[in-house]
Amino acid sequence: MAANGDRPALGFWRETAQLVGAVGRAMGITLRNLFRKPVTVHYPDVQRPYPDRFRGILALTYDPETGEENCIGCRLCEYVCPPQVIKVEMLKATKRNYAKTFTLELYACEFCELCVQVCPTDAIVMLKSFDLATADRRDLLLDKDRLHALGREFEPSWATGNRLRDMQAPPKPAKAEAKGEAKEPGE
Ligand code: SF4
Ligand code: SF4
């Protein structure tokens, strides 16, 4: 009779002990984190530096020496873009060609970087920024002027078409080795 009467009381104390233990552990974690340095930053007032290899929004560039637009309107980026978000019209000129119009629907871009990789003149680049958040999709339909303005506003990523293609090419022989090979047949 006494054993039957003890059963509910034992269960109650076991559950209470588990509950107190769980609350104690949770409070311990809360207290530990209370004195830790926060890992969050007050963006956009505080901005973390972007990693060297960060590739964000796209932009068009100018030649820093001549001030001319780098884009020659060749449309390679348009052909390679998987979601077909780039549209270019070429303007033919005597010395070189230009892009008459250039539009990029950034809201549908996959950020695959293929357009950058194929560009022969490093005219289209990715920037070290993602700072283009908006609630209006129309703000992300970028025309030529906007793409050039973004290129002036933000720091470009290290990756340009020419650099990326150089990385994928077979390694060039060292100068000394190349000279030695050239001499061998005549010696
Ligand atoms: S990053 Fe890719 S998806 Fe975006 S515009 Fe370039 S090629 Fe198109
Ligand atoms: S951005 Fe580059 S690949 Fe695209 S049209 Fe201009 S020059 Fe050609």
Side-chain angles (χ1 to χ4, degrees):
M1 292 290 284
N4 281 345
D6 285 349
R7 258 183 215 150
L10 270 175
F12 170 78
W13 287 116
R14 196 179 302 124
E15 278 173 22
T16 306
Q18 282 171 352
L19 187 67
V20 170
V23 171
R25 278 197 300 279
M27 291 308 289
I29 292 169
T30 305
L31 276 174
R32 228 175 25 242
N33 283 296
L34 211 58
F35 300 104
R36 273 190 180 159
K37 208 177 153 205
V39 290
T40 48
V41 294
H42 291 273
Y43 181 86
D45 300 328
V46 181
Q47 293 198 16
R48 287 207 172 106
Y50 292 99
D52 269 351
R53 300 212 158 207
F54 184 88
R55 274 103 126 173
I57 48 185
L58 289 142
L60 289 173
T61 61
Y62 292 101
D63 183 327
E65 284 167 17
T66 62
E68 280 211 328
E69 295 168 8
N70 279 329
C71 180
I72 53 171
C74 69
R75 299 181 67 201
L76 279 177
C77 53
E78 180 181 324
Y79 293 127
V80 81
C81 176
Q84 301 183 343
V85 297
I86 297 178
K87 294 281 172 288
V88 188
E89 254 186 294
M90 183 194 272
L91 175 71
K92 293 207 177 224
T94 39
K95 285 189 180 166
R96 50 159 286 186
N97 299 327
Y98 295 87
K100 189 176 168 193
T101 60
F102 194 115
T103 53
L104 198 156
E105 298 163 81
L106 197 70
Y107 49 78
C109 170
E110 295 173 356
F111 295 92
C112 64
E113 203 193 42
L114 285 175
C115 52
V116 176
Q117 290 178 21
V118 297
C119 181
T121 57
D122 296 343
I124 188 162
V125 293
M126 291 181 115
L127 304 172
K128 272 194 188 175
S129 178
F130 55 82
D131 211 348
L132 212 56
T134 174
D136 188 346
R137 277 165 69 93
R138 287 170 297 185
D139 290 344
L140 299 178
L141 174 58
L142 308 176
D143 63 9
K144 196 175 128 182
D145 289 344
R146 187 94 192 279
L147 284 160
H148 274 123
L150 287 169
R152 286 189 189 281
E153 189 177 345
F154 297 107
E155 194 186 341
S157 149
W158 69 276
T160 61
N162 279 305
R163 279 201 193 131
L164 290 164
R165 285 190 297 277
D166 279 354
M167 281 174 70
Q168 287 159 17
K172 291 170 189 152
K175 274 186 186 166
E177 278 177 42
K179 276 182 191 168
E181 278 171 21
K183 278 180 185 173
E184 265 173 32
E187 281 175 16

